[in-house]
């Protein structure tokens, strides 16, 4: 079968590498892809959000199955358009993608179905948001743009001054555009964060191994929020006991309620969880694989991903037995100097072979171009270097060893991925 993977980052590279292991996959296109992905798939220059272009390409090239990986085409309804054209795909339709695209909506949903989450209020005008914050006078306060904001729409205000500034930038200056028409103001939760990705076909939910992202740019969780600087899987803090509770209080109720709401979720559902002293709570739902969570979860997946995607599409996930390797995985993101603010690109990358890989690790390309067989940087997050190990310390040692073999001007990576989780799990 011929596959088309929509997107062009490290997550898409991880999906493609896993699909390539399947005997039923004979050809993979990726749109738009990137320099490193081109070693594993045929890249086509169509923007990930170009729904018409994507459907047209899929029809012309007799694509059998489309995997829509990023949030924006899902929220825009790419899966609906593919369905209308009679093309099989993986990912939620527009109605189900609203669980990520509209935070006000997902908060109301969680309240209605008693799914544990931070207490909150929703506001459509800045003056009432500010007077609520003043009245509550509880800091830190969490202020979120309701719509999609490239993972940057959450501001944690330490005092009233910062809170007012946050409301102003989101709702009046509109730095996230219409995504800031509404804000959600919520209670500040504490505890370790865990991500659980789960396959869902609207009836059955199959959680994958847990993972943990590191969102801040610098060591010690300092610096600005980024798309994610590194991941580990599984999280040593996510115990069997917590899992059982999440299954009962969060995962099953969410999938059942989505279906009850007439928005059955088919695809990969991302549960962003906070393990608070009062039990696990949902910070956010995303409607897709996490990036860079996919870069540690998928390498541990033993079951054929293409078969799972078929089962999700045909709503027979209950028949699947999905298994994972028992070891651990760690992914270190190598970013351009300056990311997530301004940075230079076009620097040659040394240490990689002709396929953009190196021995004893897997290099997922996020922001690279290939020029005459050599790789150069082309984005903020450049590479995700993943290695496995029998346990987490070993996986981390293996991936850091691999990172040391790669060089480009200004390369920046965190040296403490997984450190806090390891410390906290030892108590
Ligand atoms: P999100 O874009 O929803 O993933 O939020 C970005 C980050 O903000 C999360 O990973 C958390 O670290 C933090 N965050 C979001 N909501 C809360 C909350 N209610 N309490 C504490 N931290 C939060
Ligand atoms: N790594 C966070 C996300 O994909 O949303």
């Amino acid at each position: 079968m011929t596959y088309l993977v929509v997107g062009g980052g490290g997550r898409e590279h991880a999906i493609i590498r896993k699909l390539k292991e399947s005997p039923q996959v004979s050809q993979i296109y990726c749109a738009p892809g990137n320099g490193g992905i081109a070693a594993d798939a045929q890249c086509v220059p169509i923007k990930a959000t170009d729904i018409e272009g994507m459907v047209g390409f899929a029809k012309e090239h007799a694509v059998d199955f489309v995997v829509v990986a990023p949030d924006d085409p899902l929220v825009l309804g790419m899966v609906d358009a593919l369905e209308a054209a009679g093309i099989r795909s993986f990912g939620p339709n527009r109605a189900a993608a609203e669980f990520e695209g509209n935070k006000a909506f997902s908060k109301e949903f969680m309240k209605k179905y008693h799914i544990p989450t931070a207490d909150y209020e929703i506001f459509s005008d800045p003056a009432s948001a500010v007077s609520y914050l003043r009245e509550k006078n509880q800091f830190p306060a969490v202020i979120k743009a309701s719509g999609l904001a490239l993972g940057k729409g959450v501001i944690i205000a330490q005092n009233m001054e910062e809170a007012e500034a946050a409301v102003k930038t989101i709702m009046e200056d509109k730095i996230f555009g219409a995504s800031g028409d509404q804000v959600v103001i919520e209670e500040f939760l504490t505890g370790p964060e865990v991500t659980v990705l789960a396959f869902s076909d609207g009836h059955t939910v199959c959680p994958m191994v847990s993972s943990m992202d590191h969102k801040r740019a610098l060591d010690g969780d300092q610096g600005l929020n980024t798309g994610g600087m590194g991941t580990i899987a599984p999280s040593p803090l996510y115990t069997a006991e917590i899992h059982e509770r999440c299954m009962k209080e969060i995962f099953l109720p969410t999938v059942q309620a989505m279906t009850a709401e007439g928005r059955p979720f088919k695809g990969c559902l991302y549960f962003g969880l906070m393990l608070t002293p009062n039990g696990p709570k949902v910070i956010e739902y995303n409607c897709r694989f996490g990036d860079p969570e996919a870069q540690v979860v998928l390498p541990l997946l033993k079951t054929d991903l293409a078969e799972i995607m078929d089962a999700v599409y045909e709503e027979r996930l209950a028949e699947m037995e999905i298994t994972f390797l028992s070891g651990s995985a760690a992914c270190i993101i190598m970013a351009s100097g300056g990311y997530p603010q301004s940075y230079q690109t076009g620097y040659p990358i040394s240490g990689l072979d002709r396929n953009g890989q190196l021995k004893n690790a897997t290099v997922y390309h996020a922001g690279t171009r290939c020029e005459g067989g050599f790789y150069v940087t082309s984005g903020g997050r450049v590479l995700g270097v993943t290695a496995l190990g029998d346990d987490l310390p070993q996986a981390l040692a293996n991936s850091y060893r691999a990172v040391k073999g790669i060089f480009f001007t200004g390369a920046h990576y965190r040296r403490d991925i997984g450190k806090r989780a390891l410390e906290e799990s030892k108590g």
Side-chain angles (χ1 to χ4, degrees):
M1 282 179 31
T2 298
Y3 283 70
L4 166 62
V5 175
V6 176
R11 166 184 52 205
E12 288 73 22
H13 201 181
I15 292 169
I16 287 165
R17 301 227 9 153
K18 187 47 75 171
L19 283 174
K20 273 182 81 175
E21 292 173 13
S22 169
Q24 79 181 47
V25 177
S26 50
Q27 185 176 16
I28 308 178
Y29 293 106
C30 184
N34 66 40
I37 289 176
D40 291 300
Q42 191 175 333
C43 293
V44 282
I46 303 171
K47 263 177 60 179
T49 48
D50 179 357
I51 294 182
E52 223 175 280
M54 211 63 78
V55 174
F57 178 88
K59 277 205 254 182
E60 261 168 53
H61 293 78
V63 169
D64 297 298
F65 200 99
V66 181
V67 180
V68 186
D71 49 7
D72 34 0
L74 290 166
V75 170
L76 289 170
M78 187 174 281
V79 165
D80 309 63
L82 289 163
E83 192 62 32
I87 301 164
R88 293 155 67 93
S89 65
F90 181 83
N93 62 16
R94 185 182 187 149
E98 203 160 355
F99 288 99
E100 171 165 2
N102 182 345
K103 286 195 200 302
F105 168 82
S106 64
K107 292 297 282 190
E108 299 281 54
F109 167 85
M110 286 186 262
K111 188 189 264 179
K112 179 171 172 191
Y113 290 97
H114 307 289
I115 293 162
T117 187
D119 285 338
Y120 71 96
E121 294 287 335
I122 297 167
F123 297 94
S124 303
D125 84 282
S128 34
V130 169
S131 59
Y132 169 81
L133 283 157
R134 200 165 276 140
E135 210 173 286
K136 247 206 152 172
N137 197 30
Q138 241 175 45
F139 297 97
V142 183
I143 300 152
K144 301 184 172 184
S146 183
L148 289 185
L150 297 167
K152 294 181 183 135
V154 177
I155 297 175
I156 296 177
Q158 301 296 339
N159 51 48
M160 194 56 220
E161 212 180 338
E162 285 181 21
E164 238 175 297
V167 171
K168 181 171 180 295
T169 49
I170 297 174
M171 300 191 86
E172 288 172 14
D173 306 343
K174 297 261 185 223
I175 56 164
F176 307 117
S179 289
D181 287 350
Q182 281 192 316
V183 290
V184 175
I185 298 182
E186 63 180 41
E187 163 201 17
F188 180 75
L189 300 176
T190 54
E193 283 182 53
V194 175
T195 301
V196 177
L197 307 176
F199 294 110
S200 164
D201 66 358
H203 311 282
T204 304
V205 59
C206 295
M208 299 175 229
V209 289
S210 66
S211 54
M212 180 190 173
D213 193 7
H214 297 68
K215 293 214 177 190
R216 301 296 198 96
L218 307 174
D219 284 12
D221 293 323
Q222 303 294 309
L224 294 171
N225 253 321
T226 69
M229 291 300 292
T231 37
I232 55 168
S235 163
L237 302 170
Y238 187 77
T239 60
E241 207 180 333
I242 294 175
H243 177 70
E244 211 168 293
R245 193 161 167 192
C246 287
M247 201 65 194
K248 206 165 77 197
E249 295 176 10
I250 298 175
F251 307 154
L252 283 169
T254 294
V255 167
Q256 285 163 357
M258 286 173 168
T259 299
E261 289 284 304
R263 298 169 190 263
F265 191 98
K266 292 173 70 171
C268 173
L269 185 51
Y270 174 124
F271 294 93
L273 306 173
M274 187 86 89
L275 308 180
T276 79
N278 302 317
K281 295 191 181 186
V282 177
I283 304 179
E284 59 169 345
Y285 293 127
N286 290 329
C287 64
R288 51 177 174 82
F289 286 100
D291 185 346
E293 285 90 341
Q295 291 92 312
V296 283
V297 172
L298 291 178
L300 293 172
L301 176 65
K302 280 208 284 193
T303 312
D304 185 324
L305 180 60
E307 276 184 31
I308 298 173
M309 289 181 166
D310 280 341
V312 168
Y313 183 78
E314 291 161 11
E315 298 178 25
R316 45 176 187 76
L317 198 50
E319 294 169 12
M320 293 291 297
E321 205 205 324
I322 298 177
T323 56
F324 288 84
L325 296 170
S326 60
S328 292
C331 173
I332 314 300
I333 297 294
M334 298 184 76
S336 294
Y339 171 79
Q341 287 174 300
S342 67
Y343 52 82
Q344 306 261 314
T345 60
Y347 293 119
I349 304 170
S350 63
L352 303 177
D353 66 20
R354 279 193 82 81
N355 292 319
Q357 294 298 314
L358 90 189
K359 245 202 237 139
N360 302 325
T362 305
V363 182
Y364 297 115
H365 288 237
T368 69
R369 262 195 334 258
C370 192
E371 285 174 4
F374 295 96
Y375 294 94
V376 300
T377 66
S378 72
R381 291 192 291 178
V382 176
L383 303 170
V385 181
T386 294
L388 306 187
D390 291 338
D391 56 19
L392 182 54
Q394 212 183 78
L396 285 164
N398 291 341
S399 40
Y400 275 113
R401 194 174 310 122
V403 163
K404 297 228 160 66
I406 303 173
F407 180 82
F408 53 88
T409 302
H412 162 68
Y413 60 91
R414 277 182 62 163
R415 326 254 153 174
D416 67 343
I417 300 302
K419 190 170 162 215
R420 204 159 139 195
L422 278 172
E423 282 166 4
E424 284 180 21
S425 67
K426 284 185 199 120

